[in-house]
Amino acid sequence: MKSVIDNEMKLEFKSKSNNEAFARIAVAAFTAQLDPTIEELADIKTAVSEAVTNSIIHGYEDKEGVIKIVARIIDNTIEIEISDLGKGIENIEQARKPLYTSKPNLERSGMGFTIMESFMDEVHIESVVNLGTKITMKKTIEKLNEFYETKGSQDEILI
């Protein structure tokens, strides 16, 4: 059964490194309607930053291309798709390993996918060599009432 999309935004920009901050802020602004905590918002911004940076550095390398972002809100979950039409990933499992980098000469840490996976609830990677890569990430935003139910009453939290 498919979920009903409550809201959606689409964004397209050139694969320039100064657009990474723009992408991060745009997704954060869209996510704000779910009333996330500062920590949840920081997690999302960091994951988006890593995915966009991967597209710029690894997908397009020294060429200019287009990066697309589609963000959807379904109930209290943000789903973010970041895609490029770059060179693709030859070995996704290897690329997901912590500290693996295909660009050691650029002093890359090899932690991009690890960071995305640690900050988001779900991360899916689809890639075809010479056709591009799409990363889909999801994060459920804890509702304030659910927070009080699991952590105690509002009075106890305010004390």
Side-chain angles (χ1 to χ4, degrees), residues 4-56:
V4 175
I5 297 171
D6 297 319
N7 202 357
E8 180 178 63
M9 72 123 195
K10 295 180 181 182
L11 183 63
E12 233 180 67
F13 52 90
K14 288 186 175 185
S15 61
K16 295 179 174 258
S17 60
N18 53 350
N19 284 334
E20 175 270 324
F22 166 67
R24 185 178 63 221
I25 291 167
V27 172
F30 182 74
T31 305
Q33 62 194 292
L34 289 175
D35 198 23
T37 64
I38 291 171
E39 183 179 348
E40 289 169 330
L41 208 50
D43 290 352
I44 292 165
K45 287 166 62 177
T46 300
V48 167
S49 177
E50 291 294 332
V52 169
T53 298
N54 275 357
S55 287
I56 294 168

Side-chain angles (χ1 to χ4, degrees), residues 132-150:
T133 301
K134 178 170 78 170
I135 298 174
T136 304
M137 303 181 286
K138 294 181 183 181
K139 186 166 188 77
T140 300
I141 304 302
E142 192 171 356
K143 296 288 186 193
L144 197 54
N145 289 338
E146 293 171 10
F147 177 80
Y148 292 138
E149 288 171 12
T150 59

Side-chain angles (χ1 to χ4, degrees), residues 95-113:
R96 285 181 107 132
K97 288 183 180 171
L99 304 177
Y100 172 78
T101 180
S102 63
K103 303 274 185 211
N105 57 321
L106 296 180
E107 298 183 21
R108 307 303 305 164
S109 69
M111 295 298 288
F113 286 127

Side-chain angles (χ1 to χ4, degrees), residues 60-145:
Y60 289 114
E61 293 184 315
D62 297 324
K63 299 181 295 183
E64 192 172 278
V66 173
I67 298 173
K68 296 179 182 182
I69 298 179
V70 177
R72 296 178 187 92
I73 292 176
I74 303 166
D75 296 323
N76 59 326
T77 298
I78 181 81
E79 177 183 277
I80 305 157
E81 290 178 3
I82 299 175
S83 60
D84 64 60
L85 299 174
K87 71 175 201 170
I89 302 169
E90 286 185 36
N91 185 332
I92 292 173
E93 290 312 308
Q94 184 179 36
R96 285 181 107 132
K97 288 183 180 171
L99 304 177
Y100 172 78
T101 180
S102 63
K103 303 274 185 211
N105 57 321
L106 296 180
E107 298 183 21
R108 307 303 305 164
S109 69
M111 295 298 288
F113 286 127
T114 303
I115 291 168
M116 287 180 239
E117 290 170 338
S118 66
F119 287 147
M120 302 298 281
D121 297 330
E122 293 179 38
V123 176
H124 300 284
I125 305 164
E126 299 172 54
S127 191
V128 177
V129 174
N130 297 322
L131 291 180
T133 301
K134 178 170 78 170
I135 298 174
T136 304
M137 303 181 286
K138 294 181 183 181
K139 186 166 188 77
T140 300
I141 304 302
E142 192 171 356
K143 296 288 186 193
L144 197 54
N145 289 338

